[in-house]
Each structure stands twice: as structure tokens, then as C-alpha cells.
């Protein structure tokens, strides 16, 4: 079953570029079918529960409440948001069921890593050779932003933020294959530099430093092993950076006003929150309501707040924003304990300046890692190093 889950998640990423809704529908049907199967298999087993279950159930219930109570500016979009959050709940349910088995967790992390590595290589080569065409075949209007099958560099960076700590963990904890995983980690990191995502480059750099510090501080790797691995990574990184170039992201990091556009949109979203602080304007309806609160006309359609945290609070009210915040804070302890799960923290932080949870297929990757962390924290597997 974990192989099928991986296949569905891989499908979701590989079809993110498709300008139609059918890949989302196929992805969600696959996830919901697996969730039904997981519930059926657990019907006679022990009923385990953890906080992310509660948080995600309440998120779905809040969308349904807004819809049924008429507390949304656009019923259809809130209904779709309910399905969106139900997808995240189903992914977590499937993962929590499957990953009680430590072997399944290890297999899935390896599958994630190899898939992420393949996407990183594809994205890097495609960036310099395809002229913005997906798989060198399908043209897109986003020639400067496309990374592999992902049309937006910050969405690509969020995906990589989940994968990189797994590569680093394996590089630092595996003496036999340290060189292999060091090379994979550097190729993955270099692809973020090639994407020129400012937040992605900053967060992945912090991930490298944090994973190394945690592995050394908790004695999961010797100082010699860490030093050797970092030396290998420095060599690989020098080579890969020379290939992909750092000038584009460096210039973007030093823009005179890096928060231009985002600042004005954030201010408008704060006005939206002030107008509907308790129940919000309706989950999923931010793009429809934004023009009423816009303080600047950019002359283009603004599809997201470029800050998931503010958008969650505007759409669902302060209670919904606090609900997601509690889920984030719950993730901190198991993420730092596991080390390989630090990508979850990075993606939630990335959501301060972008919208990595806006696409069901992309956001589901975060919640499958949350499920791994929750399974690792469960009573029957407490203390297992995997």
C-alpha cells in the first residue's frame, strides 16, 4: 500500500504543470480510495489518535461549518476548500496507518529522496535547455519560473525543502554511502539555487547547517564523519554551483525592496482579517474577495496572498489561523527529534512569504512527512531512531 501511496504522490508532482483540473481530481480520488482502504484495514486494530488528526478534522469541519452556515462569500470555493483540507486529512490518515511500521517509513523516505533527486536533475537540466517547456515538449507562459514539472520556483523550493533533510540525514549517518548521499544532497541544493528562489535558497542553507549541528550535538554522527561529509559536500557544491550559476539568486537576494508587492498584498489581507476576525470570509475565497480590500491596483489578477498564514486567518478567521499554528508548533518537537523531518518546519516557514499549501498535490507531501513524524512519536515506536 505504501508503494501505491508513493505512486499517487509522484503523479501529483509530475502533473502539477497541467492547465486543467483533471489531474487534481485523479490525485484526490486516489488519495480518498487509499484512505478508505486504510480505515477498513484498521477497523479491528487498535485505534490510535494524535493531535494532527484533531487539527485536520477541525480544519475540514470549519470549512463545512462556513458553507452550511452561510459564512462564506463564495459557497463553491469553500466547498472546494473543504475537499482540499479533506485531502490533507486523508493523506495524514493513510500515512499514520502505514508508517507505524518503521520499515515502511524507511522505504518511503528513500523513495521520496530518489524521486526528489530525479526531479532536481530534471529541473536543473530543463531550466537551461528547454526554453520553459515542460519535459522539453509542452510550452508554458512561465519561462523564467518553471522547474521540472512545477511551474513556480517557490513551489519547487518548498518541495525540495522536504527532501533535502532526508538526503543530509543519510549522508551524515551512513558511512558506507556517505559519498553518494552527499552528492545527491548537493545536486538537490544546487537545483534550488538554479531556481533563484530567495526563500528556498535561504531555508535550504539553514537546513544544511541545522541538520549538521543536530547530528553532531546528538552524537548520531561522529565529528570526523560530519567533517568528511561536509568536505565532500563542499566539493560537490562548488562543482554544481559553478554549473548552475549563483548570479541570478544572488541578485534577487540583494534587491532593494524584496517585499515589494507582497507588502501591499499583506496589508490588504490584514484589512480583510480586521473586517471578519472570527469567522473569516470563507475558506478558499481570498482571490474573490481581495479586490474589495486591495490598497494598490497592480493591473493583474492576484491569485494568492503570498502568505499562507495571513490567508488562512483571513479566510477562516483568527480561530482557524490559531488552529494551523498549533499544528505547526506540534510538529516542531518530532521534526527536531527525527532530524530528517525538519523539512516540515521549513515549508511552514516558507508559507510566511508564499503559498506552498495552495495545491493539494504539493501540500500533501508536507502532511505525509507529518504522518511519518506522528507515527514515529506514537507509543509503540517511541525511541526508535528511524
Amino acid at each position: 500500500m505504501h508503494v501505491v501511496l508513493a505512486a499517487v504522490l509522484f503523479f501529483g508532482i509530475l502533473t502539477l504543470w497541467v492547465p486543467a483540473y483533471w489531474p487534481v481530481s485523479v490525485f484526490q480520488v486516489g488519495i480518498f480510495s487509499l484512505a478508505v482502504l486504510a480505515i477498513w484495514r484498521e477497523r479491528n486494530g487498535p485505534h490510535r489518535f494524535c493531535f494532527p488528526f484533531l487539527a485536520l478534522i477541525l480544519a475540514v469541519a470549519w470549512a463545512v461549518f462556513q458553507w452550511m452556515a452561510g459564512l462564506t462569500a463564495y459557497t463553491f470555493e469553500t466547498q472546494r476548500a473543504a475537499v482540499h483540507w479533506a485531502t490533507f486529512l486523508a493523506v495524514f490518515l493513510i500515512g499514520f496507518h502505514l508508517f507505524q511500521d518503521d520499515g515502511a517509513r524507511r522505504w518511503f523516505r528513500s523513495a521520496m529522496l530518489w524521486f526528489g533527486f530525479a526531479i532536481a536533475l530534471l529541473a536543473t537540466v530543463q531550466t537551461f535547455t528547454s526554453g520553459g517547456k515542460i519535459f522539453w515538449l509542452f510550452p508554458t507562459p512561465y519561462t523564467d519560473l518553471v522547474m521540472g514539472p512545477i511551474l513556480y520556483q517557490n513551489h519547487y523550493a518548498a518541495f525540495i525543502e522536504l527532501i533535502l533533510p532526508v538526503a543530509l540525514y543519510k549522508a551524515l549517518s551512513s558511512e558506507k554511502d556517505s559519498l553518494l548521499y552527499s552528492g545527491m544532497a548537493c545536486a538537490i541544493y544546487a537545483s534550488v539555487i538554479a531556481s533563484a528562489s530567495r526563500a528556498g535558497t535561504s531555508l535550504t542553507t539553514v537546513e544544511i547547517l541545522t541538520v549538521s549541528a543536530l547530528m553532531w550535538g546528538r552524537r548520531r554522527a561522529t565529528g570526523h564523519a560530519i567533517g568528511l561529509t561536509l568536505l565532500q559536500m563542499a566539493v560537490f557544491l562548488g562543482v554544481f554551483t559553478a554549473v548552475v550559476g549563483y548570479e541570478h539568486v544572488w541578485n534577487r537576494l540583494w534587491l532593494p525592496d524584496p517585499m515589494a508587492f507582497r507588502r501591499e498584498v499583506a496589508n490588504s489581507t490584514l484589512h480583510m482579517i480586521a473586517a471578519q476576525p472570527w469567522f473569516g470570509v470563507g475558506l478558499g475565497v481570498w482571490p474573490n474577495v481581495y479586490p474589495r480590500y486591495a490598497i494598490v491596483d497592480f493591473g493583474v489578477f492576484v491569485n494568492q496572498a503570498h502568505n499562507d498564514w495571513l490567508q488562512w486567518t483571513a479566510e477562516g478567521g483568527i480561530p482557524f489561523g490559531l488552529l494551523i499554528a498549533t499544528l505547526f508548533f506540534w510538529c516542531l518537537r518530532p521534526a527536531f527529534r527525527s532530524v530528517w523531518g525538519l523539512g516540515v518546519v521549513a515549508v511552514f516557514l516558507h508559507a510566511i512569504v508564499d503559498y506552498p499549501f495552495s495545491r493539494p498535490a504539493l501540500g500533501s507531501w508536507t502532511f505525509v512527512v507529518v504522518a511519518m513524524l506522528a507515527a514515529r512519536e506514537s507509543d509503540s515506536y517511541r525511541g526508535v531512531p528511524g
Side-chain angles (χ1 to χ4, degrees), residues 5 16 24 43 55 62 140 150 158-159 200 249 251 290 343 347 371-372 374:
L5 175 60
L16 274 177
V24 180
R43 69 191 186 281
W62 191 255
T140 74
I150 303 176
F159 170 68
V249 70
N251 291 335
Y290 169 75
V347 175
M372 278 192 270

Side-chain angles (χ1 to χ4, degrees), residues 348-365:
F348 272 109
L349 291 177
H350 198 151
I352 297 173
V353 294
D354 222 274
Y355 48 102
F357 292 94
S358 64
R359 307 288 297 274
L362 180 64
S364 291
W365 280 76

Side-chain angles (χ1 to χ4, degrees), residues 82-329:
V83 178
H84 187 132
W85 283 96
T87 304
F88 293 159
L89 171 62
V91 168
F92 180 84
L93 185 153
I94 298 162
F96 190 66
H97 163 71
L98 289 176
F99 301 139
Q100 298 297 322
D101 177 6
D102 182 52
R105 288 204 301 273
R106 292 175 183 272
W107 182 91
F108 203 90
R109 289 205 305 274
S110 292
M112 284 178 56
L113 173 57
W114 282 99
F115 178 73
F117 175 60
I119 293 294
L121 293 180
L122 167 69
T124 303
V125 176
Q126 180 182 288
T127 294
F128 295 105
T129 62
S130 74
K133 291 183 178 180
I134 303 293
F135 307 132
W136 294 271
L137 297 173
F138 306 102
T140 74
Y142 312 104
T143 55
D144 294 333
L145 305 177
V146 175
M147 292 297 295
I150 303 176
L151 293 177
Y152 182 34
Q153 66 219 50
N154 282 311
H155 284 176
Y156 174 79
F159 170 68
I160 292 300
E161 286 157 15
L162 286 169
I163 306 296
L164 181 58
V166 178
L168 295 168
Y169 180 85
K170 284 183 169 290
L172 292 168
S173 61
S174 174
E175 293 185 8
K176 179 181 178 182
D177 298 317
S178 176
L179 186 62
L180 168 65
Y181 292 122
S182 295
M184 292 175 73
C186 287
I188 290 169
Y189 177 65
S191 73
V192 179
I193 295 175
S195 77
S197 168
R198 292 169 294 179
T201 300
S202 301
L203 286 167
T204 50
T205 301
V206 172
E207 283 182 330
I208 293 173
L209 299 174
T210 304
V211 169
S212 300
L214 288 174
M215 292 293 283
W216 177 76
R218 296 182 179 175
R219 297 181 180 178
R220 295 192 184 180
T222 64
H224 177 267
I226 291 176
L228 179 60
T229 300
L230 291 178
L231 178 61
Q232 293 168 351
M233 290 181 62
V235 173
F236 280 126
L237 189 57
V239 174
F240 292 143
T241 303
V243 172
V244 304
Y246 65 89
E247 294 84 359
H248 192 186
V249 70
W250 181 260
N251 291 335
R252 295 193 75 228
L253 286 170
W254 289 100
L255 288 174
D257 187 3
M259 292 304 294
F261 173 80
R262 282 178 168 83
R263 182 189 304 107
E264 291 78 10
V265 175
N267 286 337
S268 300
T269 307
L270 288 171
H271 291 316
M272 199 183 299
I273 294 170
Q276 300 286 344
W278 301 116
F279 297 107
V281 297
L283 290 176
V285 307
W286 187 95
N288 307 95
V289 176
Y290 169 75
R292 186 188 309 170
Y293 297 93
I295 61 175
V296 176
D297 183 3
F298 295 104
V300 295
F301 174 66
V302 183
N303 64 332
Q304 299 286 334
H306 288 264
N307 183 324
D308 272 341
W309 289 97
L310 286 181
Q311 187 163 331
W312 287 329
T313 307
E315 292 182 344
I318 293 173
F320 188 81
L322 291 175
L323 174 66
I324 306 304
T326 58
L327 175 59
F328 168 66
F329 286 120

